[in-house]
């Protein structure tokens, strides 16, 4: 039996509230199907399933706040003969609670096994709860009250979506700053040829099918990551290269905060397909209506803050990724080449790398490759 | 399309692409992108909608000529002649 768990949609996510099951026991599911809608700090997210089979049992009730990693449903794999679903209703069952006493070095806490299990699942410190059971033992009701109290406190603390996003960004960036030793590199890249190619390409297109400069940049980035795969990776007690190149694209929310949906398999898409992906992702990101895979599958991040006018942007890596690329404002500048001075469209491109995973030489090779690829836009 | 109708059309389109802004408060000479915090993606959506509503095609090199409401009104009217 396959256990379907609450997925992590980023380093900043600790839990989510199950709003609605989209499947019921007996339904056949395949990879990519939406199984549930979950409310997170990043909005209402459609959660996808990554296995094939038949829903055997839904273990969590709608409206329940669920920590990341919690078993939410059981799926009978499609290749194995169906067996009787496992009955698992630990929280809902009304049972007589035997009381046991747990002794630690400093304190003695009395609690029912069910209360202990619930406390562990909900990360509740038993020593901070006053039991109302026999001899002051902590019961299921005490844990329920504690969960309700903490949920109420959280609701009061985070009242609007933009505040929730702010907290999510704060958590992810704080974690990154605490754990990742960043190194920073910058390269001035001549975008003149790329922009000229783009202008010609857009002349052949209808207004609705025009491409943005960042599309070419994403294409070039994907190509360079094939040459320098160590930056298309995550750090999980060691460098783990990713086979798919899913470039996370930072979308700024006008009321504050950012959200980073992934452009899946960016390396296999042509320029029009990348523009189509952006047309689909950006409005949904701003409306906080993304799918779980779109929030969790990025293998590297691109921030295009130059679009808002900044000449240079030094990013902070989104864990567990190991790199973030920053594209600054593209401006016309004097540029010397082969002893001649001319005017070119230049952009300051930066790379922030995780020094645990790679060294500056790797980052430098990546930026040089990016420069080379952007000088040959027709080959992208 | 007269100036007043065009003005209202532009406000409605900006509201459509940036629903969390208040384009109605935009002064005629204010820079649309800077004031409403609109990025290149949103601006392209604005150009697409403006084309659909007015029939005027705005080439990329003319984006700078529709950077304010007043400039956009003048540009569309001149192109419609």
């Amino acid at each position: 039996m396959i256990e379907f768990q609450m997925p992590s949609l980023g380093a900043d996510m600790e839990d989510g509230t199950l709003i609605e099951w989209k499947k019921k026991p007996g339904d056949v599911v395949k990879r990519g199907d939406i199984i549930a809608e979950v409310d997170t700090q990043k909005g209402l997210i459609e959660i996808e399933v990554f296995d094939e089979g038949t829903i055997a049992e839904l273990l969590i009730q709608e409206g329940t706040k669920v920590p990341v990693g919690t078993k939410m449903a059981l799926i009978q794999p499609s290749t194995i003969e169906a067996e009787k679903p496992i009955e698992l209703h630990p929280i809902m069952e009304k049972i007589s609670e035997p009381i046991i006493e747990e002794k630690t070095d400093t304190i003695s806490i009395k609690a029912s096994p069910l209360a202990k299990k619930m406390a562990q699942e909900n990360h509740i410190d038993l020593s901070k709860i006053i039991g109302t059971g026999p001899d002051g033992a902590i019961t299921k009701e005490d844990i329920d009250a504690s969960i309700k109290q903490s949920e109420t406190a959280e609701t009061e603390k985070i009242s609007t979506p933009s505040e929730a996003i702010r907290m999510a960004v704060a958590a992810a960036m704080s974690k990154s700053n605490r754990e990742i030793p960043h190194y920073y590199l910058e390269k001035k890249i001549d975008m003149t040829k790329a922009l000229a190619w783009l202008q010609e390409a857009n002349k052949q297109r209808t207004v609705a099918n025009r491409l943005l400069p960042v599309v070419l940049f994403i294409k070039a980035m994907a190509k360079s990551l094939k040459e320098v795969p160590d930056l298309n990776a995550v750090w999980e007690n060691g460098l783990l290269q990713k086979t798919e190149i899913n470039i996370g694209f930072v979308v700024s929310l006008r009321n504050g905060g950012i959200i980073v949906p992934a452009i899946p398999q960016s390396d296999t898409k042509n320029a029009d397909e990348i523009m189509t992906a952006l047309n689909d992702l950006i409005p949904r990101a701003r409306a906080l209506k993304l799918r779980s895979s779109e929030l969790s599958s990025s293998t590297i991040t691109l921030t295009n803050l130059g679009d808002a006018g900044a000449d240079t942007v030094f990013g902070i890596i989104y864990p567990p990724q190991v790199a973030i690329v920053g594209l600054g404002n593209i401006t016309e500048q004097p540029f010397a080449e082969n002893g001649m001075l001319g005017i070119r469209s230049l952009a300051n491109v930066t790379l922030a790398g995780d020094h645990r995973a790679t060294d500056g030489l790797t980052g430098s090779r990546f930026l040089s490759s990016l420069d080379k690829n952007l000088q040959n836009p027709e080959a992208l | 399309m007269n100036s007043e109708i065009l003005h209202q059309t532009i406000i409605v389109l900006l509201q459509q692409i940036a629903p969390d802004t208040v384009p109605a408060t935009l002064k005629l000479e204010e820079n649309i992108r800077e004031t409403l915090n609109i990025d290149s993606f949103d601006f392209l959506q604005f150009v697409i909608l403006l084309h659909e509503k007015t029939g005027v095609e705005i080439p990329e090199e003319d984006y700078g000529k529709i950077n304010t409401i007043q400039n956009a009104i003048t540009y569309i009217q001149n192109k419609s002649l």
Side-chain angles (χ1 to χ4, degrees):
Chain A
M1 195 72 75
I2 299 165
E3 291 178 356
F4 176 77
Q5 299 177 341
M6 171 65 85
S8 170
L9 307 178
D12 44 337
M13 179 171 164
E14 291 180 356
D15 51 44
T17 301
L18 173 66
I19 299 300
E20 186 185 355
W21 282 114
K22 295 290 187 185
K23 300 288 179 187
K24 59 183 185 306
D27 282 356
V28 175
V29 291
K30 61 180 189 305
R31 186 182 168 84
D33 280 356
I34 306 297
I35 189 171
E37 264 190 0
V38 171
D39 192 21
T40 73
Q41 288 176 309
K42 292 171 180 171
L44 200 59
I45 305 299
E46 293 182 325
I47 306 290
E48 296 144 286
V49 66
F50 292 97
D51 298 291
E52 299 203 350
T54 305
I55 303 287
E57 190 170 5
L58 304 177
L59 303 173
I60 303 290
Q61 285 185 335
E62 291 174 351
T64 308
K65 191 171 191 175
V66 189
V68 167
T70 304
K71 261 186 284 182
M72 294 179 71
L74 296 175
I75 299 171
Q76 178 69 53
S78 51
T79 50
I80 299 171
E81 195 181 331
E83 59 186 51
K84 193 182 175 196
I86 299 165
E87 295 292 335
L88 268 183
H89 290 292
I91 297 174
M92 277 81 81
E93 278 177 10
K94 184 73 183 170
I95 55 167
S96 165
E97 299 177 41
I99 304 300
I100 56 169
E101 193 169 338
E102 182 179 283
K103 290 187 185 298
T104 66
D105 288 345
T106 53
I107 53 167
S108 169
I109 301 168
K110 285 183 183 175
S112 72
L114 178 56
K116 282 188 173 182
K117 187 173 189 310
M118 288 171 68
Q120 194 181 11
E121 286 174 354
N122 291 284
H123 309 290
I124 292 170
D125 184 356
L126 283 174
S127 66
K128 291 180 180 165
I129 294 180
I130 298 166
T132 58
D135 296 328
I138 299 166
T139 65
K140 171 183 175 296
E141 284 70 28
D142 296 326
I143 301 292
D144 280 338
S146 173
I147 292 170
K148 198 171 179 183
Q149 194 179 10
S150 66
E151 282 177 357
T152 308
E154 249 173 67
T155 310
E156 284 166 2
K157 201 169 63 185
I158 301 168
S159 53
T160 67
S162 66
E163 280 172 344
I165 289 279
R166 191 73 263 151
M167 294 309 291
V169 173
M173 296 300 97
S174 299
K175 179 181 169 67
S176 177
N177 205 35
R178 267 196 318 272
E179 297 179 3
I180 302 179
H182 288 61
Y183 66 83
Y184 293 98
L185 304 173
E186 179 179 3
K187 187 165 181 65
K188 200 179 280 291
I189 293 185
D190 184 356
M191 298 289 287
T192 309
K193 284 182 186 169
L195 293 183
W197 181 90
L198 196 69
Q199 197 169 21
E200 282 307 307
N202 279 341
K203 279 181 184 167
Q204 315 301 319
R205 288 171 164 75
T206 62
V207 180
N209 290 319
R210 280 181 193 163
L211 305 173
L212 291 170
V214 75
V215 167
L216 271 189
F217 195 84
I218 290 169
K219 279 295 299 170
M221 215 176 129
K223 197 169 180 181
S224 295
L225 286 169
K226 278 186 166 295
E227 294 174 35
V228 189
D230 277 356
L231 294 178
N232 188 64
V234 294
W235 178 262
E236 286 172 359
N237 295 319
L239 179 74
L240 188 65
Q241 280 186 14
K242 291 290 189 179
T243 47
E244 285 188 359
I245 295 176
N246 303 330
I247 296 177
F249 185 75
V250 179
V251 177
S252 293
L253 307 177
R254 262 180 286 274
N255 291 328
I258 53 170
I259 201 155
V260 190
I263 302 165
Q265 296 174 307
S266 311
D267 55 321
T268 64
K269 288 181 164 58
N270 62 31
D272 288 294
E273 287 167 337
I274 287 186
M275 191 66 209
T276 302
L278 291 179
N279 282 333
D280 172 47
L281 286 172
I282 294 175
R284 285 197 293 116
R286 291 213 166 112
L288 303 179
K289 286 183 179 168
L290 291 168
R291 288 179 157 210
S292 54
S293 61
E294 292 162 346
L295 278 172
S296 59
S297 62
S298 295
T299 52
I300 187 170
T301 298
L302 166 65
T303 171
N304 181 28
L305 197 60
D307 199 41
D311 288 333
T312 310
V313 48
F314 294 103
I316 297 178
I317 298 166
Y318 189 65
Q321 295 165 32
V322 299
I324 179 170
V325 176
L327 174 59
N329 193 16
I330 302 171
T331 55
E332 287 193 339
Q333 294 175 36
F335 188 80
E337 189 179 47
N338 300 327
M340 299 289 285
L341 191 62
I343 302 291
R344 299 282 178 85
S345 296
L346 302 179
N348 293 337
V349 179
T350 64
L351 174 85
D354 182 340
H355 219 326
R356 297 171 304 178
T358 64
D359 301 316
L361 183 61
T362 306
S364 184
R365 278 176 45 223
F366 172 79
L367 288 179
S368 295
S369 166
L370 199 54
D371 187 9
K372 177 194 73 184
N373 288 330
L374 284 164
Q375 303 318 312
N376 298 286
E378 60 283 346
L380 288 174
Chain B
M1 205 179 278
N2 71 39
S3 297
E4 187 51 36
I5 293 173
L6 206 44
H7 186 181
Q8 287 311 312
T9 303
I10 289 169
I11 298 291
V12 169
L13 297 183
L14 289 172
Q15 189 73 70
Q16 202 172 323
I17 60 148
D20 37 12
T21 65
V22 189
T25 61
L26 201 61
K27 295 187 178 78
L28 285 174
E29 301 298 339
E30 275 183 315
N31 186 294
I32 296 171
R33 282 193 61 176
E34 286 173 11
T35 310
L36 298 183
N37 197 15
I38 284 175
D39 61 18
S40 56
F41 176 81
D42 289 332
F43 195 73
L44 178 56
Q45 307 312 308
F46 174 59
V47 170
I48 293 168
L49 290 174
L50 204 52
H51 169 62
E52 285 174 2
K53 282 283 176 191
T54 65
V56 173
E57 191 160 324
I58 306 159
E60 279 186 300
E61 55 269 29
D62 285 353
Y63 284 0
K65 296 176 182 172
I66 57 167
N67 59 345
T68 68
I69 289 180
Q70 184 58 64
N71 287 346
I73 291 171
T74 307
Y75 182 88
I76 299 292
Q77 286 182 328
N78 288 341
K79 283 274 194 166
S80 304
L81 291 174

